[in-house]
Amino acid sequence: LHIAILASILSLIIYWLIRDRYRVGNLNGKHVFITGCDNGLGNSLAKWLDKKGFCVIAACATEKGSQELQSCSSLSLKTVNLNLADSNSIARAVMFVTEQTAGKGLFGLVSNAEGIAPVGPTDWLRIEDFHSVLDVSLLGLIEITLKLLPLLKRAEGRVVNLINAKGLMAFVGGGYSLSKWGMEAFSDTLRIEMQHFGVKVSIVEHGFFKAEEVNSDITEKYLFKLWNRLTPDIRDSYGEKYLVE
């Protein structure tokens, strides 16, 4: 029994070593579309893949983000404005990607988006606070994935969903953790369904990056903003000490 277990472990190690030696070849003409490229992980990934030789299409939420990214990238990198909370903006971005890929299909879709995340106890929040996160970080990413699936199937490409691991810990109220768990479930289902078409679906659970560190001053400011809009009954139920502690 022990020999069988050791043999299985050794076989698994050998498999991983062999698999990790594989590299994507012939990068010319392989298009990768990345969301959330104004800064942080999406921005860094767009620059890195551009240097590797991929045809990068970077989605930015602001014109400033697009200009700064283009200024330090090759001419082959293209940018497109994208508001994941707006279906019309998503449709325009999909049309742009379709034009850029010119019938070749989409080699990769990397979804990386962080909606505004109100932080506070659940009964301090309103439904629009949940929408501000879920409309971008869950429903927006699902919508653009659905609309790009035909291009991904044509190229037998891959979907990579970047999920901040801190969102998988339900330590605070609001839509942030809901969006991350939702993307986990969506990705797992999509992975099974897309196997038939040769499309791979992966989840990358990452931690903090310097560019994404939480600013405690902003968090505190937002908490006071939530506190000040509460009804007297809710404020009294928590007490002033709750806020300062």
Side-chain angles (χ1 to χ4, degrees), residues 80-102:
V80 61
N81 182 265
L82 176 62
N83 176 5
L84 284 168
D86 181 359
S87 292
N88 291 327
S89 178
I90 290 174
R92 289 191 293 269
V94 170
M95 185 178 298
F96 182 79
V97 173
T98 303
E99 293 170 352
Q100 291 296 314
T101 54

PDB file of all heavy atoms in Angstrom, residues 80-102:
ATOM      1  N   VAL A  80      -9.084  49.693 -25.340  1.00  0.00           N
ATOM      2  CA  VAL A  80     -10.492  49.980 -25.592  1.00  0.00           C
ATOM      3  C   VAL A  80     -11.121  50.405 -24.271  1.00  0.00           C
ATOM      4  O   VAL A  80     -10.793  49.880 -23.216  1.00  0.00           O
ATOM      5  CB  VAL A  80     -11.218  48.742 -26.190  1.00  0.00           C
ATOM      6  CG1 VAL A  80     -11.167  47.559 -25.227  1.00  0.00           C
ATOM      7  CG2 VAL A  80     -12.657  49.078 -26.552  1.00  0.00           C
ATOM      8  N   ASN A  81     -12.008  51.387 -24.352  1.00  0.00           N
ATOM      9  CA  ASN A  81     -12.708  51.844 -23.158  1.00  0.00           C
ATOM     10  C   ASN A  81     -13.781  50.824 -22.781  1.00  0.00           C
ATOM     11  O   ASN A  81     -14.487  50.312 -23.646  1.00  0.00           O
ATOM     12  CB  ASN A  81     -13.351  53.206 -23.407  1.00  0.00           C
ATOM     13  CG  ASN A  81     -14.056  53.742 -22.177  1.00  0.00           C
ATOM     14  OD1 ASN A  81     -15.253  53.555 -22.019  1.00  0.00           O
ATOM     15  ND2 ASN A  81     -13.312  54.388 -21.291  1.00  0.00           N
ATOM     16  N   LEU A  82     -13.884  50.541 -21.486  1.00  0.00           N
ATOM     17  CA  LEU A  82     -14.863  49.548 -21.040  1.00  0.00           C
ATOM     18  C   LEU A  82     -15.418  49.906 -19.668  1.00  0.00           C
ATOM     19  O   LEU A  82     -14.670  50.079 -18.704  1.00  0.00           O
ATOM     20  CB  LEU A  82     -14.217  48.154 -20.977  1.00  0.00           C
ATOM     21  CG  LEU A  82     -15.099  47.018 -20.441  1.00  0.00           C
ATOM     22  CD1 LEU A  82     -16.324  46.811 -21.330  1.00  0.00           C
ATOM     23  CD2 LEU A  82     -14.303  45.724 -20.334  1.00  0.00           C
ATOM     24  N   ASN A  83     -16.735  49.990 -19.602  1.00  0.00           N
ATOM     25  CA  ASN A  83     -17.456  50.138 -18.346  1.00  0.00           C
ATOM     26  C   ASN A  83     -18.287  48.874 -18.167  1.00  0.00           C
ATOM     27  O   ASN A  83     -19.308  48.681 -18.838  1.00  0.00           O
ATOM     28  CB  ASN A  83     -18.350  51.383 -18.386  1.00  0.00           C
ATOM     29  CG  ASN A  83     -19.193  51.529 -17.133  1.00  0.00           C
ATOM     30  OD1 ASN A  83     -19.060  50.754 -16.183  1.00  0.00           O
ATOM     31  ND2 ASN A  83     -20.075  52.513 -17.125  1.00  0.00           N
ATOM     32  N   LEU A  84     -17.866  48.010 -17.254  1.00  0.00           N
ATOM     33  CA  LEU A  84     -18.515  46.709 -17.093  1.00  0.00           C
ATOM     34  C   LEU A  84     -19.919  46.809 -16.509  1.00  0.00           C
ATOM     35  O   LEU A  84     -20.651  45.817 -16.497  1.00  0.00           O
ATOM     36  CB  LEU A  84     -17.641  45.797 -16.224  1.00  0.00           C
ATOM     37  CG  LEU A  84     -16.421  45.203 -16.926  1.00  0.00           C
ATOM     38  CD1 LEU A  84     -15.485  44.564 -15.918  1.00  0.00           C
ATOM     39  CD2 LEU A  84     -16.852  44.184 -17.975  1.00  0.00           C
ATOM     40  N   ALA A  85     -20.299  47.966 -16.029  1.00  0.00           N
ATOM     41  CA  ALA A  85     -21.653  48.151 -15.515  1.00  0.00           C
ATOM     42  C   ALA A  85     -22.622  48.597 -16.609  1.00  0.00           C
ATOM     43  O   ALA A  85     -23.811  48.776 -16.358  1.00  0.00           O
ATOM     44  CB  ALA A  85     -21.653  49.173 -14.377  1.00  0.00           C
ATOM     45  N   ASP A  86     -22.106  48.762 -17.832  1.00  0.00           N
ATOM     46  CA  ASP A  86     -22.899  49.292 -18.951  1.00  0.00           C
ATOM     47  C   ASP A  86     -22.893  48.281 -20.093  1.00  0.00           C
ATOM     48  O   ASP A  86     -21.853  48.033 -20.709  1.00  0.00           O
ATOM     49  CB  ASP A  86     -22.300  50.630 -19.399  1.00  0.00           C
ATOM     50  CG  ASP A  86     -23.071  51.266 -20.542  1.00  0.00           C
ATOM     51  OD1 ASP A  86     -24.059  50.674 -21.017  1.00  0.00           O
ATOM     52  OD2 ASP A  86     -22.672  52.364 -20.979  1.00  0.00           O
ATOM     53  N   SER A  87     -24.054  47.709 -20.409  1.00  0.00           N
ATOM     54  CA  SER A  87     -24.147  46.708 -21.472  1.00  0.00           C
ATOM     55  C   SER A  87     -23.760  47.267 -22.834  1.00  0.00           C
ATOM     56  O   SER A  87     -23.201  46.558 -23.673  1.00  0.00           O
ATOM     57  CB  SER A  87     -25.569  46.123 -21.542  1.00  0.00           C
ATOM     58  OG  SER A  87     -25.848  45.345 -20.395  1.00  0.00           O
ATOM     59  N   ASN A  88     -24.060  48.549 -23.074  1.00  0.00           N
ATOM     60  CA  ASN A  88     -23.681  49.162 -24.348  1.00  0.00           C
ATOM     61  C   ASN A  88     -22.165  49.263 -24.478  1.00  0.00           C
ATOM     62  O   ASN A  88     -21.602  49.035 -25.552  1.00  0.00           O
ATOM     63  CB  ASN A  88     -24.306  50.553 -24.478  1.00  0.00           C
ATOM     64  CG  ASN A  88     -25.814  50.497 -24.634  1.00  0.00           C
ATOM     65  OD1 ASN A  88     -26.348  49.560 -25.236  1.00  0.00           O
ATOM     66  ND2 ASN A  88     -26.511  51.483 -24.083  1.00  0.00           N
ATOM     67  N   SER A  89     -21.496  49.614 -23.391  1.00  0.00           N
ATOM     68  CA  SER A  89     -20.038  49.686 -23.392  1.00  0.00           C
ATOM     69  C   SER A  89     -19.440  48.303 -23.627  1.00  0.00           C
ATOM     70  O   SER A  89     -18.462  48.150 -24.376  1.00  0.00           O
ATOM     71  CB  SER A  89     -19.536  50.256 -22.062  1.00  0.00           C
ATOM     72  OG  SER A  89     -18.120  50.296 -22.031  1.00  0.00           O
ATOM     73  N   ILE A  90     -20.036  47.287 -23.023  1.00  0.00           N
ATOM     74  CA  ILE A  90     -19.574  45.906 -23.223  1.00  0.00           C
ATOM     75  C   ILE A  90     -19.735  45.502 -24.683  1.00  0.00           C
ATOM     76  O   ILE A  90     -18.832  44.919 -25.281  1.00  0.00           O
ATOM     77  CB  ILE A  90     -20.346  44.944 -22.304  1.00  0.00           C
ATOM     78  CG1 ILE A  90     -19.927  45.162 -20.840  1.00  0.00           C
ATOM     79  CG2 ILE A  90     -20.111  43.488 -22.706  1.00  0.00           C
ATOM     80  CD1 ILE A  90     -20.731  44.356 -19.834  1.00  0.00           C
ATOM     81  N   ALA A  91     -20.871  45.842 -25.280  1.00  0.00           N
ATOM     82  CA  ALA A  91     -21.127  45.500 -26.683  1.00  0.00           C
ATOM     83  C   ALA A  91     -20.108  46.164 -27.604  1.00  0.00           C
ATOM     84  O   ALA A  91     -19.617  45.550 -28.563  1.00  0.00           O
ATOM     85  CB  ALA A  91     -22.546  45.915 -27.068  1.00  0.00           C
ATOM     86  N   ARG A  92     -19.767  47.429 -27.318  1.00  0.00           N
ATOM     87  CA  ARG A  92     -18.773  48.135 -28.143  1.00  0.00           C
ATOM     88  C   ARG A  92     -17.391  47.490 -28.004  1.00  0.00           C
ATOM     89  O   ARG A  92     -16.656  47.360 -28.994  1.00  0.00           O
ATOM     90  CB  ARG A  92     -18.718  49.617 -27.757  1.00  0.00           C
ATOM     91  CG  ARG A  92     -19.932  50.414 -28.180  1.00  0.00           C
ATOM     92  CD  ARG A  92     -19.702  51.915 -28.022  1.00  0.00           C
ATOM     93  NE  ARG A  92     -19.566  52.290 -26.628  1.00  0.00           N
ATOM     94  CZ  ARG A  92     -20.591  52.655 -25.850  1.00  0.00           C
ATOM     95  NH1 ARG A  92     -21.819  52.687 -26.336  1.00  0.00           N
ATOM     96  NH2 ARG A  92     -20.379  53.008 -24.590  1.00  0.00           N
ATOM     97  N   ALA A  93     -17.041  47.088 -26.798  1.00  0.00           N
ATOM     98  CA  ALA A  93     -15.742  46.439 -26.581  1.00  0.00           C
ATOM     99  C   ALA A  93     -15.678  45.105 -27.308  1.00  0.00           C
ATOM    100  O   ALA A  93     -14.653  44.761 -27.908  1.00  0.00           O
ATOM    101  CB  ALA A  93     -15.494  46.260 -25.085  1.00  0.00           C
ATOM    102  N   VAL A  94     -16.757  44.349 -27.267  1.00  0.00           N
ATOM    103  CA  VAL A  94     -16.803  43.051 -27.961  1.00  0.00           C
ATOM    104  C   VAL A  94     -16.665  43.243 -29.470  1.00  0.00           C
ATOM    105  O   VAL A  94     -15.968  42.492 -30.149  1.00  0.00           O
ATOM    106  CB  VAL A  94     -18.114  42.301 -27.623  1.00  0.00           C
ATOM    107  CG1 VAL A  94     -18.293  41.078 -28.517  1.00  0.00           C
ATOM    108  CG2 VAL A  94     -18.116  41.876 -26.159  1.00  0.00           C
ATOM    109  N   MET A  95     -17.311  44.281 -29.996  1.00  0.00           N
ATOM    110  CA  MET A  95     -17.192  44.584 -31.426  1.00  0.00           C
ATOM    111  C   MET A  95     -15.744  44.936 -31.782  1.00  0.00           C
ATOM    112  O   MET A  95     -15.223  44.502 -32.816  1.00  0.00           O
ATOM    113  CB  MET A  95     -18.124  45.742 -31.798  1.00  0.00           C
ATOM    114  CG  MET A  95     -18.167  46.052 -33.289  1.00  0.00           C
ATOM    115  SD  MET A  95     -19.334  47.404 -33.681  1.00  0.00           S
ATOM    116  CE  MET A  95     -20.873  46.657 -33.126  1.00  0.00           C
ATOM    117  N   PHE A  96     -15.087  45.697 -30.910  1.00  0.00           N
ATOM    118  CA  PHE A  96     -13.695  46.074 -31.141  1.00  0.00           C
ATOM    119  C   PHE A  96     -12.795  44.832 -31.141  1.00  0.00           C
ATOM    120  O   PHE A  96     -11.925  44.680 -32.011  1.00  0.00           O
ATOM    121  CB  PHE A  96     -13.237  47.045 -30.059  1.00  0.00           C
ATOM    122  CG  PHE A  96     -11.828  47.539 -30.223  1.00  0.00           C
ATOM    123  CD1 PHE A  96     -11.527  48.550 -31.125  1.00  0.00           C
ATOM    124  CD2 PHE A  96     -10.785  46.986 -29.487  1.00  0.00           C
ATOM    125  CE1 PHE A  96     -10.221  49.011 -31.287  1.00  0.00           C
ATOM    126  CE2 PHE A  96      -9.478  47.434 -29.635  1.00  0.00           C
ATOM    127  CZ  PHE A  96      -9.200  48.445 -30.540  1.00  0.00           C
ATOM    128  N   VAL A  97     -13.015  43.934 -30.186  1.00  0.00           N
ATOM    129  CA  VAL A  97     -12.223  42.702 -30.121  1.00  0.00           C
ATOM    130  C   VAL A  97     -12.465  41.851 -31.366  1.00  0.00           C
ATOM    131  O   VAL A  97     -11.532  41.281 -31.938  1.00  0.00           O
ATOM    132  CB  VAL A  97     -12.564  41.897 -28.848  1.00  0.00           C
ATOM    133  CG1 VAL A  97     -11.860  40.540 -28.861  1.00  0.00           C
ATOM    134  CG2 VAL A  97     -12.166  42.673 -27.603  1.00  0.00           C
ATOM    135  N   THR A  98     -13.715  41.779 -31.798  1.00  0.00           N
ATOM    136  CA  THR A  98     -14.059  41.008 -33.001  1.00  0.00           C
ATOM    137  C   THR A  98     -13.329  41.547 -34.220  1.00  0.00           C
ATOM    138  O   THR A  98     -12.800  40.789 -35.044  1.00  0.00           O
ATOM    139  CB  THR A  98     -15.582  41.038 -33.239  1.00  0.00           C
ATOM    140  OG1 THR A  98     -16.262  40.535 -32.086  1.00  0.00           O
ATOM    141  CG2 THR A  98     -15.957  40.182 -34.446  1.00  0.00           C
ATOM    142  N   GLU A  99     -13.273  42.876 -34.336  1.00  0.00           N
ATOM    143  CA  GLU A  99     -12.580  43.501 -35.465  1.00  0.00           C
ATOM    144  C   GLU A  99     -11.079  43.252 -35.399  1.00  0.00           C
ATOM    145  O   GLU A  99     -10.438  42.965 -36.415  1.00  0.00           O
ATOM    146  CB  GLU A  99     -12.860  45.003 -35.478  1.00  0.00           C
ATOM    147  CG  GLU A  99     -14.312  45.353 -35.788  1.00  0.00           C
ATOM    148  CD  GLU A  99     -14.616  46.823 -35.554  1.00  0.00           C
ATOM    149  OE1 GLU A  99     -13.723  47.537 -35.010  1.00  0.00           O
ATOM    150  OE2 GLU A  99     -15.737  47.268 -35.892  1.00  0.00           O
ATOM    151  N   GLN A 100     -10.507  43.345 -34.220  1.00  0.00           N
ATOM    152  CA  GLN A 100      -9.072  43.172 -34.059  1.00  0.00           C
ATOM    153  C   GLN A 100      -8.632  41.736 -34.341  1.00  0.00           C
ATOM    154  O   GLN A 100      -7.551  41.507 -34.894  1.00  0.00           O
ATOM    155  CB  GLN A 100      -8.639  43.575 -32.643  1.00  0.00           C
ATOM    156  CG  GLN A 100      -8.743  45.061 -32.338  1.00  0.00           C
ATOM    157  CD  GLN A 100      -7.802  45.889 -33.200  1.00  0.00           C
ATOM    158  OE1 GLN A 100      -6.632  45.550 -33.360  1.00  0.00           O
ATOM    159  NE2 GLN A 100      -8.311  46.981 -33.743  1.00  0.00           N
ATOM    160  N   THR A 101      -9.452  40.774 -33.957  1.00  0.00           N
ATOM    161  CA  THR A 101      -9.068  39.367 -34.153  1.00  0.00           C
ATOM    162  C   THR A 101      -9.268  38.910 -35.595  1.00  0.00           C
ATOM    163  O   THR A 101      -8.686  37.908 -36.013  1.00  0.00           O
ATOM    164  CB  THR A 101      -9.867  38.453 -33.208  1.00  0.00           C
ATOM    165  OG1 THR A 101     -11.280  38.691 -33.367  1.00  0.00           O
ATOM    166  CG2 THR A 101      -9.493  38.718 -31.756  1.00  0.00           C
ATOM    167  N   ALA A 102     -10.066  39.638 -36.339  1.00  0.00           N
ATOM    168  CA  ALA A 102     -10.215  39.428 -37.786  1.00  0.00           C
ATOM    169  C   ALA A 102     -10.446  37.966 -38.170  1.00  0.00           C
ATOM    170  O   ALA A 102      -9.778  37.407 -39.037  1.00  0.00           O
ATOM    171  CB  ALA A 102      -8.976  39.964 -38.513  1.00  0.00           C
TER     172      ALA A 102
END
